């Protein structure tokens, strides 16, 4: 689709980033819109895209989202703690005004699609994107299609094996010590009594964090058998984290011998950096065009 | 493809079941071949199919298998404890003699495909088949395609949350208390000191088994978000097991509210019964034709 121009929205809880372009390296216009109430936020975004000629629009959004195509609430946010946003139709306002195909998926499914298209998982048939930051989330692409079903995956809420002797209770309001409850930024802060960047015992902190993340990734590997896991998010920037997670994963999955041959290229940093969100939105748009 | 006839092999450790037909309800011929050494076993199967005119052949096999299409060992069994079978090329002998497309996948991916095509997950976009018997395994179909990647999924080896106060160590030679190590038939026998059918405290046994299986399925639901899980295998025939697993899953995933509305239709028995294996092989053949 060389020459075509697409629209993308990275829809988050604090900002909506709207872009027009044909890929992460070809962004022609960009607008940041603060996330206020739904009607006002979406209206500003609609007007931005109405000024451009785009072939299709992709929305990579926070959730939870209704993504079953046959469901009457397809493209709506379902129930979110974010005030005013539960039940918001994210697709309708754009489809009605712009009269183009509008695709929507989770931010992490969008990021996975973008990493397969342009980034660190380029060309792979089966790849996963996991973000570890304020929360933990994961998206997957299998044979070019982001994985959704009854709802979308919530990979951050798998349970994980507890490290021997560890009695930290975790911070997930639903499960306590699930993947997110044990590995997220807030989990690090709760465990150490201060944010990661202030912890003096960096080596020990990274060691524990890598083991915890590997315990979560193990579940994903056994269920989905991805060819590669792109690990992003703020926590993933801890020094040496990816190498340690790779080593821990090989250690924890000793029977899964094939991993040993791919150590250091199995869990990798994102190829698209901070533009993964808008790149994901553009990738969704291109897939829907 | 009405009118066409396909070949299927359910390849197991004790027997290879070869069928010719156009679906599980239209099996035209069938031959059981004992699993002896690879060359002899495969030769008998090849001769069976050479007597028929089939459009394509599907093999639903025990593993582990090399399933990356670009790999030189595609279609081979990789490393198996079964004497003589490591490295066996399952596809080559059929492709060379029969000169038709030959598809191969795991037995559980085949069963998942068959259940989506004809059985208890008919028409769904995203469905999982899990068997709990001598071992625990799972296959998934997303948008019509069985999920494989670096290898195939090994869903039986996810780790699971331990029930409070339970000190049973599990029987998995690799992980001890993973899903398979805690929920398989041999795990029941180790926990109770006798096979399930001889245990007197049936109610309590089913309760523990349902909670254990639900802890494993939780991981699959969070990673893949299937619309339905077909739960088969010998252990799944314990009285009332599916209902209890549904209830347990809703309980363990209290945040995943959508499940509550699908209770009793989310985890279901297979629709194809004991023919799931050969049906899976035929489904693989039809997808490859």
């Amino acid at each position: 689709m060389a020459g075509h121009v697409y629209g993308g929205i990275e829809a988050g809880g604090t900002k909506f980033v709207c872009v027009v372009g044909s890929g992460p390296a070809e962004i022609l216009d960009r607008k940041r819109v603060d996330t206020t109430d739904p009607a006002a936020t979406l209206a500003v975004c609609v007007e931005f895209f109405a000024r451009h000629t785009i072939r299709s629009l992709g929305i990579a959004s926070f959730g939870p989202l209704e993504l079953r195509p046959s469901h009457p609430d397809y493209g709506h946010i379902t129930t979110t703690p974010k005030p005013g946003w539960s039940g918001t139709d994210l697709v309708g306002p754009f489809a009605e005004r712009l009269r183009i195909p509008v695709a929507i998926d989770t931010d992490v499914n969008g990021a996975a699609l973008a990493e397969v298209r342009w980034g660190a998982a380029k060309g792979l048939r089966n790849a996963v994107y996991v973000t570890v930051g304020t929360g933990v989330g994961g998206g997957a692409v299998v044979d070019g299609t982001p994985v959704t079903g009854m709802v979308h995956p919530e990979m951050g809420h798998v349970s994980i094996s507890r490290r021997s002797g560890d009695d930290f209770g975790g911070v997930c309001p639903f499960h306590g010590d699930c993947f997110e409850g044990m590995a997220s930024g807030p989990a690090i802060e709760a465990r150490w009594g201060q944010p990661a960047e202030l912890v003096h015992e960096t080596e020990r902190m990274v060691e524990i964090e890598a083991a915890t993340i590997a315990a979560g990734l193990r579940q994903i590997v056994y269920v989905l058998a991805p060819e590669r896991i792109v690990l992003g998010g703020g926590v993933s920037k801890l020094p040496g984290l990816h190498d340690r997670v790779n080593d821990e994963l090989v250690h924890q999955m000793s029977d899964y011998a094939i991993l040993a041959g791919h150590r250091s290229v199995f869990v990798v940093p994102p190829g698209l950096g901070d533009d993964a969100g808008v790149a994901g939105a553009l990738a969704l748009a291109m897939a829907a065009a």
Side-chain angles (χ1 to χ4, degrees), chain A:
Chain A
M1 311 235 188
H4 288 297
V5 174
Y6 305 86
I9 306 176
E10 179 188 8
T14 57
K15 64 180 193 292
F16 277 45
V17 180
C18 303
V19 298
V20 164
S22 53
E26 290 104 10
I27 305 283
L28 305 174
D29 196 3
R30 178 188 294 254
K31 184 179 181 70
R32 180 201 152 112
V33 181
D34 287 336
T35 307
T36 57
D37 70 281
T41 309
L42 296 178
V44 177
C45 296
V46 167
E47 289 318 308
F48 170 77
F49 290 110
R51 293 201 305 273
H52 292 89
T53 301
I54 55 175
R55 194 174 159 84
S56 57
L57 176 68
I59 305 174
S61 180
F62 71 107
L65 303 169
E66 175 57 65
L67 294 176
R68 287 172 290 180
S70 59
H71 197 283
D73 289 336
Y74 174 78
H76 293 222
I77 293 178
T78 57
T79 308
T80 170
K82 189 156 183 63
W85 284 83
S86 289
T88 296
D89 179 4
L90 291 178
V91 169
F94 296 99
E96 283 159 26
R97 172 71 184 274
L98 304 174
R99 303 273 167 198
I100 52 172
V102 179
I104 185 167
D105 213 317
T106 59
D107 41 12
V108 281
N109 264 350
L113 196 60
E115 292 289 347
V116 166
R117 184 159 195 139
W118 298 293
K122 193 168 177 178
L124 297 181
R125 281 193 311 127
N126 180 335
V128 167
Y129 176 89
V130 171
T131 176
V132 181
T134 310
V136 174
V141 171
V142 174
D143 284 323
T145 306
V147 172
T148 63
M150 171 86 82
V151 289
H152 40 77
E154 295 277 7
M155 299 190 196
H157 293 287
V158 293
S159 72
I160 61 174
S161 289
R162 187 167 274 281
R163 287 167 40 257
S164 170
D166 185 10
D167 61 359
F168 173 56
V171 301
C172 174
F174 299 113
H175 312 107
D177 62 355
C178 66
F179 186 7
E180 176 171 297
M182 296 294 278
S184 64
I188 295 178
E189 188 163 344
R191 181 191 283 277
W192 293 90
Q194 51 194 336
E197 55 273 28
L198 299 180
V199 174
H200 287 298
E201 301 169 68
T202 311
E203 180 74 6
R204 178 82 183 125
M205 178 185 65
V206 173
E207 182 186 325
I208 292 176
E209 185 64 15
T212 307
I213 292 174
L217 299 187
R218 164 185 168 175
Q219 316 287 28
I220 297 168
V221 173
Y222 277 136
V223 174
L224 264 170
E227 294 167 278
R228 190 167 295 160
I229 295 177
V230 180
L231 177 63
V235 172
S236 75
K237 294 172 184 170
L238 288 172
L241 187 77
H242 289 88
D243 282 349
R244 277 183 181 273
V245 170
N246 268 303
D247 288 348
E248 272 291 334
L249 199 55
V250 172
H251 177 67
Q252 292 185 26
M253 302 181 68
S254 55
D255 58 316
Y256 211 73
I258 198 169
L259 269 190
H262 295 79
R263 191 192 295 235
S264 86
V265 296
F266 188 65
V267 179
V268 301
L272 301 172
D274 293 336
D275 262 349
V278 293
L282 286 175
L284 291 169
M286 294 166 88

